[in-house]
Amino acid sequence: MPQKLLFIVNPNSGKGEMRLHIVDCVDVFVRAGFEVTLYTTQQAGDASRIVASRGADFDRIVCSGGDGTLNETVAGLMQLSERPALGYIPSGTTNDFAASLQIPKKPAEAAALIVNGMPSSVDVGRFNNRYFTYVAGFGAFTEVAYSTPQNTKNALGRMAYILEGVKSLPTLRNYHVKVESENETIEDDFIYGMVTNSTTVGGFKGLIASDVGLDDGLFEVFLVRAPANPLEFQAIFNELLIAHNQQKFVTRFKAQRVRFTADGEMPWTLDGEFGGAPTVAEIVNCQKALQLFVGQSRLGQ
């Protein structure tokens, strides 16, 4: 009896090019002996809904889209008591998590990896009552990911994030935040902060750390203190080029659990999508919560 595979596709992600590769991917799955059910998302939340309601009926789930589609699929899987292995065919603008997992960019090659490879365990982040796969962030530039028009992303790709980020500089806001982890507590004014489980964020490598383990149960926490004047702002950029753990403005550390308490509402982005504006954010690493098909594995490094 053939195994059942649910193939979820966001046909509008990136430049919509995945529309040209759906049949090729389905053909790879069918030739490998899978009975394929294809579902194309129609609106936000579709991937989560279909996985949560029907995912338990399948032996394997595959999603194709950008980081947001992957986020929705993972959120649906986390609602299941028994979770099928997940395959990801990236087709969005930056696909940070796919880059971290070294998943092929060509859809047919990614599909072949899913049917021929062995899944690896990966951590999943829980943000209050929501989930994220690779990043939860607040402050400067975080609005760029979900406010940049899709046609701008399609036309300019990663450059869109840079251009939109530069436009946000005059409106930078400071947030007074208490950050508590199992090892330390920091309280200060910050312009930016993120909790990640990825070697790449916003299409840029090396910003967080070089020793990211995607199944080690630890997040990489990255905080940028607020500058008091333009000279200090320049100092921040200089520190970003140096990956020391403790600096004057940039702080990096690892943690399994982090609690952020802000003086007021603080907008967050989860995997590039708006994550709400809570005053308290409890972020927990759910170690090895999913089985995911990856390329040349960097897990545990």
Side-chain angles (χ1 to χ4, degrees):
M1 186 174 180
Q3 288 192 312
K4 295 183 178 181
L5 183 150
L6 175 61
F7 187 21
I8 301 171
V9 178
N10 179 352
N12 298 315
S13 67
K15 299 180 181 179
E17 293 181 356
M18 187 60 195
R19 297 170 182 264
L20 305 176
H21 302 283
I22 292 176
V23 172
D24 290 337
C25 292
V26 170
D27 185 55
V28 171
F29 299 145
V30 172
R31 283 189 285 110
F34 287 94
E35 180 181 288
V36 181
T37 297
L38 175 65
Y39 182 87
T40 56
T41 60
Q42 304 299 308
Q43 58 188 355
D46 266 5
S48 292
R49 179 183 58 78
I50 194 70
V51 172
S53 63
R54 298 188 57 190
D57 298 331
F58 294 87
D59 302 290
R60 195 165 300 184
I61 293 177
V62 179
C63 68
S64 179
D67 292 329
T69 302
L70 177 63
N71 174 279
E72 285 193 13
T73 304
V74 168
L77 280 168
M78 292 300 289
Q79 298 180 51
L80 303 178
S81 56
E82 295 186 11
R83 300 163 190 146
L86 174 63
Y88 180 37
I89 300 177
S91 60
T93 305
T94 55
N95 302 308
D96 284 318
F97 203 54
S100 292
L101 298 175
Q102 299 183 13
I103 295 174
K105 295 181 179 180
K106 294 183 178 180
E109 293 180 5
L113 170 67
I114 293 167
V115 299
N116 296 322
M118 292 293 294
S120 296
S121 297
V122 296
D123 300 341
V124 173
R126 188 177 75 236
F127 177 93
N128 291 341
N129 62 346
R130 297 181 60 176
Y131 293 95
F132 64 95
T133 56
Y134 76 96
V135 63
F138 71 86
F141 306 114
T142 55
E143 293 184 0
V144 171
Y146 59 81
S147 64
T148 304
Q150 185 63 49
N151 60 349
T152 303
K153 290 183 181 180
N154 292 345
L156 300 177
R158 295 176 183 176
M159 184 58 67
Y161 293 93
I162 298 174
L163 295 177
E164 292 294 322
V166 169
K167 290 197 297 185
S168 74
L169 288 177
T171 59
L172 283 181
R173 177 181 172 184
N174 299 347
Y175 294 93
H176 189 81
V177 187
K178 184 178 182 180
V179 184
E180 303 169 271
S181 72
E182 59 267 30
N183 297 317
E184 58 187 297
T185 298
I186 304 170
E187 185 169 0
D188 210 330
D189 292 331
F190 298 98
I191 60 168
Y192 183 62
M194 61 181 171
V195 178
T196 72
N197 190 42
S198 175
T199 60
T200 303
V201 175
F204 298 97
K205 296 181 179 181
L207 180 64
I208 306 304
S210 59
D211 59 342
V212 177
L214 303 182
D215 66 345
D216 62 1
L218 296 173
F219 290 123
E220 281 63 45
V221 183
F222 182 89
L223 302 168
V224 180
R225 288 177 170 82
N229 53 60
L231 288 178
E232 289 190 349
F233 198 84
Q234 180 61 49
I236 289 174
F237 281 103
N238 294 339
E239 289 188 8
L240 289 174
L241 300 176
I242 305 172
H244 293 161
N245 286 337
Q246 297 297 334
Q247 300 169 308
K248 182 177 180 181
F249 294 102
V250 179
T251 297
R252 300 174 174 91
F253 62 90
K254 295 178 181 287
Q256 188 274 331
R257 180 187 296 264
V258 192
R259 180 184 176 90
F260 292 81
T261 305
D263 282 358
E265 291 187 347
M266 186 165 70
W268 286 79
T269 177
L270 305 179
D271 296 338
E273 303 295 329
F274 182 57
T279 57
V280 177
E282 185 81 25
I283 302 177
V284 179
N285 186 299
C286 304
Q287 187 174 15
K288 298 182 178 179
L290 291 181
Q291 292 289 307
L292 184 65
F293 291 90
V294 305
Q296 181 181 347
S297 180
R298 297 185 62 175
L299 303 182
Q301 296 183 7

